[in-house]
Amino acid sequence: MASITIIDNIFNDAVRAARELVERQAVDVFASAGANAFYLQDTLPVPVLALKVEQSDLIQAFLTARRITDKALLLTYERQEANVELLRLFGGMELVHRTYSTAEHAHEIFHTLRAEGFGAVIGSSYVCDLADQWGLNSVLVYSRESCRNLLRKAIRRAGQYKRERQQAATEQFLLEQNPNPQVFTNRRGVAVAWNSAAVHLIPSLPKRRRLNGVLDSRVLEADSLRAEGLLLGDRLCTLNKLPFEVDGENIGSLYVFYPQPLAQPNDQRRMVYQSARMLEVQQQLHLYGSTPGTVLLRGETGTGKELAARQIHAASPNSAGPFVAINCAAIPAELFESELFGYAEGAFTSAKSGGKSGLLESANNGTFFLDEINSMPLPQQAKLLRVLQEREVRPVGARRAIALNIKFVVACNADLQAEVRAGRFREDLYYRLSTFVVELPPLRERMEDVPLLSEYLIRREAQRYGVELDAAELTRALTPIFRRYAWPGNVRQLENIVERLVVSWRIYGSCEALVEAMPRVAPELFSAEREDEGGHLHQVEQEEIIKALKQFGGNKTLAAEYLGISQTTLWRRLKRITPEAINQ
């Protein structure tokens, strides 16, 4: 038994009504005729059966019209087929054939031909309705038998489509039972089925339906394989690829991904150290942070100036307020004033309606951190000096100033005094900024922090990427290599290399294998070893050796163990150091 719903609309109205039924899953198949059939076939995701103009129906309609009139109009949709030449062989009536593309076009045809003396119009139900409106006789081009046959076919197709949907739903249900991403591809490599976990891992899959560009060509070409260490987006994955065979014939492949936990952002960053130098820095940050004065952070790129600024914020009376950070080198000079100070409505031609709050106002009752202050152009330096002196900001075009309660922290990676002498930085601003100064040492000057810092970073990245490893063991294996490097990029460079090594662990699987592969995984750590012996690296290396010898009273065995090198290596490197340098 079939339930039939009638849609008595045409063109776009019919499509809208049909879509509503599809969205409610209230229909399995559509049956239609004329223009509606083509419109529905073009837009709906379910089967649409079209009532074709059979040759026998067309002949019967012609003979019926001939009994009514000696001149008739055959009006069909432009995509319908109609063998008009065959009809003219019957004679006895003049037949004019026109086609229409839209409802408006059909109206225009009737309007244009209304004085042509047509006694009847042959066409679909829509065309017959128009003929009735114009007072003309109409003949339906479809026979009752053709309509009955279409309904019988539609009922059979609805049953078949429903069974197909149930089968597809069953297959999808089974796919979803596996929490791991799964993708089936046919023999041409086109994805034909997948679960929601696969879409989450590969968002482009439903649209592209291919894995090229996602997986290496060697993976795609292999019949079967197991691959580890694949990085898809932020996910480290293991992949199992299996051939899908039916009756001994390979008809496709099954890809099963086993992703590691999603990488999480580094929001638990903190200073890690054991050196006396960094202990002094930490004490300064806490003490200077508790004062209302501006703090100037000096240090090379990658020494952790923003992290230090956040510690100052945490120690300040404004710790409950916002922390706003900007990079002075990243703000164009022409936008500096409007970005920092904000502007009132109508302040200039392109000003937004209602104005805009500046960054300083958004940092009120909190901390404002200006990184790379040495990059600020001189005109903007004067404006910043006024803000620091007056402790207020006046938005561009505003009549009243806004009082500021802000803890100011600035940072630079250059010698500001040298910038003052060169005329690139205002002397009065320098003295205003340098009330409290904290020097952040480069990593090469606190190498005793490297093992502790490395282990912390290894644990953090292993947790972030879901990699199981022994952080202490890996730290011991890496320390000798890390100690021989000068770290020009400081802690930031160490962070990046540790992240790379933790991710690479999935490929090598052991400390020994990873250390052996280090020249290929992190070649920058080894290229410096081939620099000229008078270079900076050797100077740092010699300083570390001398420091170790003094620490252990000249005991070369203990010094070599501390440095993470063999006694032979230590002896060879001692030959480069003068006795005077050792005895200083």
Side-chain angles (χ1 to χ4, degrees):
M1 181 177 178
S3 174
I4 299 176
T5 301
I6 298 175
I7 299 176
D8 190 14
N9 291 318
I10 61 169
F11 294 100
N12 291 328
D13 291 336
V15 171
R16 277 193 293 270
R19 280 178 175 165
E20 290 177 3
L21 292 175
V22 172
E23 289 172 0
R24 299 204 311 267
Q25 297 184 342
V27 66
D28 295 312
V29 66
F30 285 91
S32 186
N36 274 355
F38 292 98
Y39 265 61
L40 296 176
Q41 286 176 339
D42 290 343
T43 59
L44 296 183
V46 299
V48 178
L49 301 185
L51 181 57
K52 295 182 179 179
V53 180
E54 300 290 347
Q55 197 65 49
S56 58
D57 290 347
L58 192 58
I59 293 172
Q60 184 60 48
F62 177 86
L63 296 176
T64 300
R66 193 174 66 175
R67 291 194 292 269
I68 300 173
T69 182
D70 57 1
K71 186 177 183 180
L73 170 66
L74 173 62
L75 186 56
T76 60
Y77 183 58
E78 62 182 4
R79 291 165 64 181
Q80 283 181 302
E81 295 181 2
N83 190 348
V84 179
E85 295 305 319
L86 176 64
L87 296 179
R88 294 196 174 105
L89 294 177
F90 287 88
M93 181 181 69
E94 181 183 353
L95 182 67
V96 177
H97 181 215
R98 295 286 186 272
T99 61
Y100 64 94
S101 57
T102 64
E104 293 76 12
H105 188 197
H107 277 278
E108 289 174 7
I109 292 174
F110 269 92
H111 180 74
T112 303
L113 301 179
R114 63 181 177 179
E116 296 292 323
F118 292 107
V121 178
I122 304 171
S124 64
S125 59
Y126 170 63
V127 171
C128 291
D129 288 342
L130 287 180
D132 293 342
Q133 293 175 24
W134 286 86
L136 298 174
N137 293 309
S138 62
V139 178
L140 185 64
V141 75
Y142 309 110
S143 67
R144 292 185 178 182
E145 185 59 28
S146 293
C147 293
R148 280 194 292 265
N149 288 337
L150 177 66
L151 287 177
R152 294 190 190 103
K153 185 178 180 181
I155 292 171
R156 290 194 301 271
R157 185 67 182 90
Q160 179 186 353
Y161 179 66
K162 189 170 185 177
R163 290 189 295 273
E164 290 173 355
R165 282 200 305 161
Q166 290 172 344
Q167 178 67 25
T170 301
E171 294 171 357
Q172 192 64 36
F173 175 79
L174 294 175
L175 275 174
E176 296 296 345
Q177 298 315 296
N178 191 334
N180 295 309
Q182 295 187 93
V183 179
F184 283 97
T185 61
N186 61 21
R187 67 183 68 190
R188 299 191 309 275
V190 177
V192 294
W194 53 83
N195 58 6
S196 56
V199 177
H200 184 72
L201 179 67
I202 311 171
S204 63
L205 182 61
K207 184 176 181 180
R208 296 187 68 246
R209 297 201 170 204
R210 287 190 176 275
L211 294 174
N212 56 329
V214 177
L215 299 176
D216 188 273
S217 59
R218 291 170 294 182
V219 175
L220 299 173
E221 293 167 3
D223 291 332
S224 63
L225 58 79
R226 177 181 176 85
E228 296 188 0
L230 296 176
L231 189 60
L232 301 182
D234 288 333
R235 309 297 292 274
L236 275 174
C237 299
T238 297
L239 167 65
N240 272 355
K241 180 182 180 182
L242 303 170
F244 185 48
E245 298 181 349
V246 175
D247 297 330
E249 180 184 1
N250 190 337
I251 64 170
S253 300
L254 168 64
Y255 294 80
V256 183
F257 299 87
Y258 300 91
Q260 296 296 324
L262 184 65
Q264 299 298 318
N266 292 330
D267 54 0
Q268 300 297 324
R269 296 164 60 89
R270 63 184 181 89
M271 285 189 170
V272 177
Y273 59 90
Q274 62 183 8
S275 62
R277 180 78 178 276
M278 284 304 295
L279 175 61
E280 180 183 16
V281 167
Q282 187 70 34
Q283 291 172 337
Q284 289 176 333
L285 295 175
H286 182 77
L287 179 62
Y288 299 162
S290 63
T291 70
T294 301
V295 179
L296 171 61
L297 302 172
R298 293 197 297 214
E300 296 177 4
T301 298
T303 51
K305 293 188 285 294
E306 182 171 344
L307 186 57
R310 291 185 179 276
Q311 294 215 357
I312 292 172
H313 171 63
S316 75
N318 293 0
S319 58
F323 177 88
V324 178
I326 67 164
N327 187 315
C328 296
I331 301 180
E334 62 272 14
L335 298 179
F336 181 87
E337 190 171 0
S338 61
E339 287 295 314
L340 260 65
F341 301 163
Y343 52 80
E345 183 174 1
F348 44 86
T349 305
S350 59
K352 291 182 179 179
S353 176
K356 176 186 175 183
S357 297
L359 294 172
L360 283 167
E361 186 178 350
S362 66
N364 215 357
N365 299 313
T367 299
F368 194 59
F369 173 51
L370 296 95
D371 198 6
E372 294 192 47
I373 190 73
N374 48 292
S375 300
M376 183 180 292
L378 283 169
Q380 282 68 47
Q381 292 178 26
K383 295 172 183 177
L384 176 62
L385 177 61
R386 182 175 180 82
V387 170
L388 293 172
Q389 290 173 337
E390 304 297 334
R391 292 285 166 167
E392 65 179 24
V393 60
R394 186 189 302 274
V396 178
R399 295 182 178 180
R400 291 188 300 175
I402 300 171
L404 296 178
N405 172 29
I406 291 178
K407 175 70 174 179
F408 283 94
V409 183
V410 300
C412 64
N413 53 18
D415 185 346
L416 278 188
Q417 286 183 311
E419 294 293 292
V420 170
R421 291 192 294 270
R424 292 188 293 267
F425 202 84
R426 292 178 62 103
E427 185 175 17
D428 48 1
L429 178 59
Y430 168 73
Y431 290 120
R432 175 66 66 174
L433 295 177
S434 58
T435 306
F436 299 102
V437 180
V438 179
E439 295 277 354
L440 296 175
L443 188 56
R444 64 181 175 272
E445 293 181 6
R446 56 183 186 104
M447 293 296 282
E448 59 266 45
D449 289 334
V450 167
L452 184 66
L453 183 57
S454 299
E455 184 171 350
Y456 164 76
L457 294 173
I458 290 170
R459 292 185 188 279
R460 190 186 73 185
E461 297 304 320
Q463 181 180 10
R464 181 185 178 206
Y465 283 103
V467 177
E468 294 185 5
L469 52 78
D470 187 329
E473 180 186 3
L474 183 57
T475 301
R476 287 193 295 271
L478 294 175
T479 295
I481 300 173
F482 284 176
R483 280 186 174 277
R484 293 197 297 269
Y485 187 60
W487 298 106
N490 295 296
V491 178
R492 183 181 299 138
Q493 184 186 14
L494 177 62
E495 285 180 318
N496 294 339
I497 287 181
V498 166
E499 181 178 1
R500 188 193 314 165
L501 295 177
V502 169
V503 170
S504 301
W505 177 272
R506 296 291 300 173
I507 300 174
Y508 301 100
S510 70
C511 292
E512 294 78 8
L514 182 58
V515 170
E516 184 178 348
M518 283 287 285
R520 300 183 297 279
V521 178
E524 62 268 46
L525 300 183
F526 298 86
S527 59
E529 292 185 348
R530 294 187 290 272
E531 292 179 355
D532 179 71
E533 289 192 2
H536 178 74
L537 174 64
H538 292 287
Q539 179 183 348
V540 173
E541 179 186 272
Q542 290 179 12
E543 291 174 356
E544 288 298 312
I545 291 174
I546 294 170
K547 187 188 301 182
L549 286 172
K550 289 180 178 180
Q551 181 176 344
F552 295 102
N555 188 316
K556 296 181 178 60
T557 301
L558 294 178
E561 183 178 339
Y562 173 78
L563 293 169
I565 58 178
S566 66
Q567 293 186 53
T568 303
T569 301
L570 176 61
W571 182 260
R572 185 172 61 252
R573 293 180 181 176
L574 280 172
K575 291 181 179 179
R576 305 173 185 169
I577 307 175
T578 63
E580 292 78 9
I582 297 176
N583 296 324
Q584 281 182 353

